[in-house]
Amino acid sequence: MNLSGKKILITGATGGIGSAVAQKLAASGAQIVITGRNSSRLQSIFINLEGKGHTWIAADLSDISCIKEVIAQAANGDGLWGLVHCAGGGSITPLTALSANVLAQHMQINFYAFIELVRQMTKRKNLDPDGGSIVGISSFAATEGERGQTAYAASKAAMDAAVRTLSQELVLKRVRINSIRPGMVQSEATDQYLRDMGKERFDMLVSKQLFGLGKPEYVAELCAFLLSESGRFMTGRSIYLDGGRFL
């Protein structure tokens, strides 16, 4: 898929999925802007991106107030064609520990930040004149969450609901918006789940996927499709990428 001439912002680029998305889109010809909290890791990913014209911005998107400036820097007068929101995360939290603060922490980065990124990117001054494409990295948990995933599942379900409603508004700006619901994919998030759940339960969850534990590259390839002209007839959809988990 050819993304030449497309400027695309990738959040959470220091994570397993985010870095794989950055590498795939750069290899497809896109001009990449990566963002994350860890400057040294961002620089490490940045210097290994194929092609030229890429940039990086260190930012903590859980601070919603910084997003306006992040988008302005990323657009830099040229306009953004794409956004992939990989930043996010969650924890295994049973009901006994499910405080309002825990719920708010999950919603802050998984949902509130996503909405503000979309809102700022689709302003005329920040958007590519030809329109654009937005991808949110959701999760199978949005509809099939496991025990202890209440906060995480709710935040991802909120993202997917917004994708459906926002698609009806953004079509007026020639912007498509979709989300991807990965199953268990090797990443820092799954490493955290392994620590939280223990190996026995973690292995049981992975065994539900016919093709076993996924790779970040699989998510990156679907992102490239959705951002490219090949995905021009898709919007408002949440796509499972789960290795046959629910067959």
Side-chain angles (χ1 to χ4, degrees), residues 145-228:
E146 299 283 348
R147 185 178 70 216
Q149 287 189 314
T150 300
Y152 180 68
S155 66
K156 293 299 189 179
M159 170 188 280
D160 291 346
V163 161
R164 290 189 293 275
T165 57
L166 290 175
S167 67
Q168 299 169 63
E169 296 185 48
L170 294 177
V171 66
L172 301 175
K173 298 184 178 184
R174 293 180 294 175
V175 174
R176 296 181 287 106
I177 182 169
N178 297 281
S179 63
I180 299 173
R181 292 172 174 168
M184 302 289 280
V185 173
Q186 184 59 58
S187 66
E188 291 181 347
T190 50
D191 291 343
Q192 183 63 52
Y193 286 150
L194 175 58
R195 291 189 290 270
D196 290 346
M197 296 176 178
K199 189 174 187 303
E200 182 177 354
R201 187 177 169 206
F202 180 84
D203 288 345
M204 181 272 292
L205 292 178
V206 172
S207 71
K208 291 183 179 183
Q209 300 185 171
L210 299 182
F211 291 125
L213 190 64
K215 295 181 179 180
E217 290 77 14
Y218 304 159
V219 182
E221 288 165 2
L222 183 51
C223 285
F225 168 78
L226 292 171
L227 290 160
S228 74

Side-chain angles (χ1 to χ4, degrees), residues 32-176:
I32 302 301
V33 183
I34 55 174
T35 186
R37 292 178 295 180
N38 189 311
S39 296
S40 61
R41 290 177 66 182
L42 276 175
Q43 291 181 60
S44 178
I45 293 163
F46 168 76
I47 63 175
N48 288 301
L49 291 176
E50 186 176 331
K52 297 180 180 179
H54 312 306
T55 57
W56 61 272
I57 304 169
D60 181 357
L61 300 184
S62 64
D63 177 6
I64 304 298
S65 65
C66 79
I67 291 177
K68 180 178 180 179
E69 180 59 26
V70 168
I71 292 292
Q73 288 185 42
N76 194 29
D78 301 323
L80 286 166
W81 165 265
L83 164 68
V84 186
H85 184 50
C86 302
S91 61
I92 302 299
T93 309
L95 180 60
T96 54
L98 199 58
S99 65
N101 186 52
V102 170
L103 291 169
Q105 288 174 353
H106 282 76
M107 294 295 285
Q108 189 79 359
I109 188 65
N110 293 339
F111 181 57
Y112 299 157
F114 176 66
I115 296 299
E116 184 64 7
L117 285 160
V118 173
R119 193 175 77 89
Q120 294 295 338
M121 174 193 158
T122 55
K123 290 182 177 181
R124 181 178 297 179
K125 63 182 179 180
N126 296 324
L127 185 63
D128 189 297
D130 293 329
S133 179
I134 296 167
V135 180
I137 303 302
S138 181
S139 169
F140 72 92
T143 57
E144 303 289 342
E146 299 283 348
R147 185 178 70 216
Q149 287 189 314
T150 300
Y152 180 68
S155 66
K156 293 299 189 179
M159 170 188 280
D160 291 346
V163 161
R164 290 189 293 275
T165 57
L166 290 175
S167 67
Q168 299 169 63
E169 296 185 48
L170 294 177
V171 66
L172 301 175
K173 298 184 178 184
R174 293 180 294 175
V175 174
R176 296 181 287 106

